Amino acid sequence: QIIRKENDYEAMKALRKFCDANNGFLRIKSRQKDPVKKYAAKMADKVLYDQEFYPSTVLKCFAVADIFFSFYSTGVMEAAIARVSSVCIAPAEQDWSDIQGAQFKDLSQRGLFDWPGVSYLQTIPEIISGLAQKRISDFAFLAQEQAKYLQRFADGKIHGVAESIVLEIEKILQKE
């Protein structure tokens, strides 16, 4: 990965180029416990941290967003509810599987992060080599897929998503 320059810095450069090509505004939202890297902050148009408990900062961001990029974030659910396309930037499985655990992997394999029309999974090499040439429309949000996605992961409910995720994890744990 080092030799091939498959790293966060190169992914951020590709994201910046994507925003420039799409007349986009690059807003990075993080938490105080996980500060944004200096190089990423320089590439961003705006950096935000959680400002209050409710409404959450990320929900405010989704109110004006066209697309959401993350690294395996459960924010994909909030994005789906807000009708914002999500792109999961996926590191190689061997680089994250022991960190996230079997339950997270199971949710991923069920399509939580790769549900065309709602959430799109792209590897780090795909982001670095091809994102700058893509358009936001390549990651279209489709209402009919949103309904199927929410049925799968939130029992069709828009409210109570966090509860649905916890219940899904409990089901997986009971199987083990």
Side-chain angles (χ1 to χ4, degrees), residues 29 50-61 78:
K29 187 270 179 206
D50 289 322
Q51 299 169 346
E52 56 199 8
F53 182 70
Y54 187 82
S56 69
T57 304
V58 74
L59 291 179
K60 290 178 184 179
C61 291
E78 287 88 357

Side-chain angles (χ1 to χ4, degrees), residues 121-150:
L121 190 124
Q122 298 273 288
T123 65
I124 291 174
E126 287 172 330
I127 290 291
I128 292 169
S129 68
L131 184 63
Q133 294 79 33
K134 294 200 180 271
R135 297 287 162 252
I136 291 173
S137 60
D138 292 326
F139 305 104
F141 190 89
L142 305 173
Q144 67 271 26
E145 290 305 316
Q146 177 199 35
K148 294 175 194 173
Y149 183 87
L150 293 176

Side-chain angles (χ1 to χ4, degrees), residues 44-102:
D45 293 305
K46 179 82 173 170
V47 174
L48 297 173
Y49 290 93
D50 289 322
Q51 299 169 346
E52 56 199 8
F53 182 70
Y54 187 82
S56 69
T57 304
V58 74
L59 291 179
K60 290 178 184 179
C61 291
F62 289 148
V64 296
D66 292 313
I67 193 164
F68 166 65
F69 288 86
S70 69
F71 292 94
Y72 285 111
S73 169
T74 55
V76 66
M77 296 295 294
E78 287 88 357
I81 290 166
R83 303 176 65 91
V84 174
S85 292
S86 178
V87 177
C88 176
I89 303 172
E93 186 176 333
Q94 67 268 19
D95 293 337
W96 69 271
S97 61
D98 59 337
I99 297 169
Q100 297 294 349

